[in-house]
């Protein structure tokens, strides 16, 4: 699969053109390896096909319509977003099916969500929310009903009705609303836990069982209006940590043709897999817990310069929390290159014992051996942890076709534009 990007010669860095040589770019700079990106997109698409479920990857990870299109081309059923703004970006990008894993109360935004074009499914978790949204759509003069997924949560977790009876009240309110139609059930197991030990997996499985129970209770007439409009009941869960558990728990209900009852489509919403990372998701992805031979590849790198070696054992880089996430761990020093005549070359073993120990807004503190080979001016490749809160700091990301491990720096092949 080829990831579309603009030629490097056309990339604008403020008012100047970006050079094709990575060493000539001002640091810090975030790059995305198109080879790894394509691998991840294809791997997840193939896995979902074999598992017999659909995928609406969470677009907020990248907010890059060109990447969304690659995911759709690979077979994704739709794109998930978190806000009305993100939904409108998806609509503008021509995404035909959108899961809004959140709620908006703006009449104008709701009217756009309900308008012809993209089919949007919005989450609601309370009777009060249903009333506000329905009245707002009425004031906006919406001509089409807005498809609603009832969100089921868990005590102490994030949003979502806290019990099946509470969720049923929400579903009944949607059914009675003039401008809404009940289209399915949504949940997020990642709100229950982010761990992967046996106790955490048990909590996740128990939560997913409540989604199935709610689906069974609502089977039959609850979705009659939606089905009459040609819709399928959506049953959706699944981030990037537990998508295997979601398939084990919910996958048997995937029946979009309605051969076993009301047409039902099970949709995963995994997002971070698309770029993966070097730390957090590397440890918690289902592929790390299973011996399937499948894997995602880290596609993002943050390149920073050594700007100071003020004391033995300490190097300062010109990249900080304004440039990379630190909510799920600090970046990881991967390798270093030294610019020079004929191009930058890799310094073997220069960061083998280097550890990022802290971040300021624009500086990274790196502990190194007192005899470290690093020198001021060297270029350090950092692997990131948690793509979502790294990519959102960048409006343009340089693309490289890397393969990794080379003695020379990869060439810049183009750019990706984000819409944060």
């Amino acid at each position: 699969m080829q990831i579309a990007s603009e030629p490097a010669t056309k990339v604008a860095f403020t008012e100047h053109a970006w050079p094709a040589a990575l060493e000539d770019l001002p640091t810090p700079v975030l790059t995305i390896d198109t080879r790894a990106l394509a691998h991840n997109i294809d791997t997840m698409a193939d896995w979902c096909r074999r598992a017999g479920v659909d995928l609406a990857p969470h677009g907020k990870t990248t907010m890059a319509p060109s990447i969304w299109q690659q995911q759709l081309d690979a077979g994704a059923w739709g794109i998930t977003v978190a806000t009305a703004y993100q939904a409108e970006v998806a609509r503008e990008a021509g995404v035909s099916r959108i899961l809004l894993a959140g709620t908006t109360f703006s009449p104008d935004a709701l009217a756009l969500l309900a308008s012809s074009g993209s089919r949007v499914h919005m989450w609601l978790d309370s009777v009060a929310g249903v009333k506000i949204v329905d009245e707002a759509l009425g004031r906006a003069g919406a001509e089409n009903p807005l498809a609603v997924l009832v969100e089921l949560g868990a005590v102490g977790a994030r949003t979502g009705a806290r019990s099946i009876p509470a969720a049923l009240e929400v579903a009944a309110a949607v059914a009675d609303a003039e401008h809404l139609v009940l289209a399915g059930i949504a949940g997020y197991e990642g709100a229950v836990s982010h761990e992967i030990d046996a106790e955490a997996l048990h909590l996740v499985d128990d939560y997913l069982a409540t989604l199935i129970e709610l689906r069974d209770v609502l089977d039959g007439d609850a979705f009659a209006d939606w089905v009459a409009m040609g819709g399928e009941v959506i049953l959706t869960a699944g981030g990037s940590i537990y998508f295997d558990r979601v398939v084990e728990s919910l996958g048997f209900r995937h029946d979009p043709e309605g051969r076993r009852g009301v047409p039902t489509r099970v949709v995963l919403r995994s997002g971070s897999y698309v770029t993966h990372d070097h730390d957090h998701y590397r440890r918690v992805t289902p592929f790390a817990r299973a011996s399937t031979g499948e894997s995602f590849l880290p596609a993002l790198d943050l390149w920073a310069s050594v700007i100071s070696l003020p004391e033995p054992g300490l190097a300062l880089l010109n990249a900080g929390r304004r440039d990379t996430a630190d909510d799920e761990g600090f970046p990881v020093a991967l390798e270093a290159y030294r610019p020079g005549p004929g191009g930058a070359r890799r310094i073997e073993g220069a960061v083998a014992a280097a550890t990022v120990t802290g971040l300021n807004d624009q500086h990274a503190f790196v502990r190194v051996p007192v005899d470290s080979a690093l020198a001021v001016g060297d270029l350090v490749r950092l692997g990131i942890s948690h793509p979502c809160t790294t990519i959102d700091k960048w409006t343009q990301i340089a693309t490289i076709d890397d393969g990794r491990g080379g003695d020379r720096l990869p060439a810049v092949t183009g750019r990706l534009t984000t819409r944060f």
Side-chain angles (χ1 to χ4, degrees):
M1 177 190 299
Q2 296 297 315
I3 304 297
S5 61
E6 298 184 24
T9 54
K10 295 183 179 178
V11 176
F13 182 80
T14 64
E15 70 274 17
H16 303 292
W18 273 8
L22 185 57
E23 64 189 287
D24 293 332
L25 284 174
T27 55
V29 62
L30 187 69
T31 62
I32 189 163
D33 182 350
T34 56
R35 193 180 311 187
L37 190 68
H39 167 85
N40 295 342
I41 290 171
D42 289 342
T43 296
M44 190 63 180
D46 291 343
W47 190 90
C48 289
R49 278 191 287 269
R50 294 196 307 274
V53 297
D54 278 305
L55 174 66
H58 211 315
K60 56 93 175 171
T61 298
T62 65
M63 284 304 294
S66 63
I67 292 180
W68 297 349
Q69 190 58 56
Q70 301 298 331
Q71 293 171 301
L72 292 166
D73 290 345
W77 174 84
I79 294 293
T80 299
V81 296
T83 67
Y85 165 75
Q86 294 174 7
E88 189 55 23
V89 172
R91 282 169 49 86
E92 290 176 359
V95 178
S96 60
R97 302 186 190 97
I98 300 168
L99 296 183
L100 173 50
T103 303
T104 183
F105 298 124
S106 161
D108 290 343
L110 287 165
L112 283 173
L113 296 179
S115 62
S116 300
S118 302
R119 173 167 278 182
V120 180
H121 302 70
M122 191 178 81
W123 295 16
L124 283 169
D125 72 352
S126 69
V127 173
V130 170
K131 181 178 180 181
I132 293 171
V133 170
D134 188 46
E135 291 177 351
L137 284 166
R139 292 197 303 275
E143 297 181 0
N144 303 311
L146 177 63
V148 169
L149 305 184
V150 174
E151 181 188 3
L152 180 65
V155 174
R158 207 167 62 183
T159 51
R162 286 326 201 219
S163 66
I164 289 176
L168 292 174
E169 290 181 3
V170 179
V174 172
D176 290 340
E178 182 179 356
H179 303 286
L180 306 176
V181 59
L182 184 63
I185 298 163
Y188 177 48
E189 74 290 344
V192 177
S193 177
H194 281 298
E195 305 300 325
I196 55 174
D197 57 82
E199 181 180 358
L201 295 178
H202 181 70
L203 287 173
V204 167
D205 291 343
D206 280 352
Y207 167 72
L208 293 170
T210 64
L211 285 178
I212 284 293
E213 185 177 351
L214 177 59
R215 172 68 183 85
D216 289 341
V217 172
L218 283 173
D219 211 351
D221 294 338
F223 303 103
D225 291 344
W226 178 242
V227 173
M229 295 168 58
E232 306 152 337
V233 177
I234 302 300
L235 179 58
T236 178
S240 291
I241 301 178
Y242 308 111
F243 58 79
D244 58 334
R245 316 297 290 198
V246 173
V247 168
E248 289 179 14
S249 296
L250 310 185
F252 75 97
R253 293 307 300 262
H254 187 73
D255 180 27
E257 301 299 325
R259 295 189 178 94
R260 300 187 303 273
V262 177
T264 300
R265 188 176 294 274
V266 176
V267 181
L268 301 182
R269 304 189 310 277
S270 311
S272 295
Y273 79 89
V274 73
T275 60
H276 201 47
D277 65 20
H278 286 87
D279 186 18
H280 176 62
Y281 283 106
R282 177 187 62 80
R283 291 181 285 105
V284 300
T285 174
F287 291 160
R289 304 193 298 269
S291 302
T292 64
E294 295 169 298
S295 65
F296 297 125
L297 300 176
L300 292 173
D301 293 301
L302 179 65
W303 301 81
S305 298
V306 179
I307 58 171
S308 180
L309 295 167
E311 61 189 58
L314 177 63
L316 274 299
L317 310 182
N318 63 341
R321 60 172 57 96
R322 293 290 182 95
D323 313 299
T324 181
D326 63 355
D327 56 318
E328 294 288 358
F330 291 134
V332 179
L334 300 175
E335 52 191 5
Y337 292 80
R338 180 158 297 157
R345 290 186 175 274
R346 188 160 56 129
I347 313 168
E348 196 66 39
V351 295
T355 303
V356 178
T357 59
L359 297 176
N360 288 160
D361 282 359
Q362 306 286 183
H363 294 84
F365 292 76
V366 185
R367 286 295 167 185
V368 297
V370 293
D371 59 351
S372 170
L374 281 180
V376 171
D378 286 346
L379 192 61
V380 177
R381 181 181 208 155
L382 297 168
I384 60 95
S385 184
H386 197 189
C388 299
T389 47
T390 295
I391 301 175
D392 67 355
K393 305 178 191 327
W394 297 86
T395 58
Q396 294 182 9
I397 304 173
T399 59
I400 57 176
D401 183 12
D402 189 9
R404 300 182 182 268
D407 183 54
R408 302 258 187 182
L409 286 171
V412 176
T413 60
R415 67 166 173 179
L416 289 173
T417 300
T418 67
R419 292 287 307 277
F420 287 102

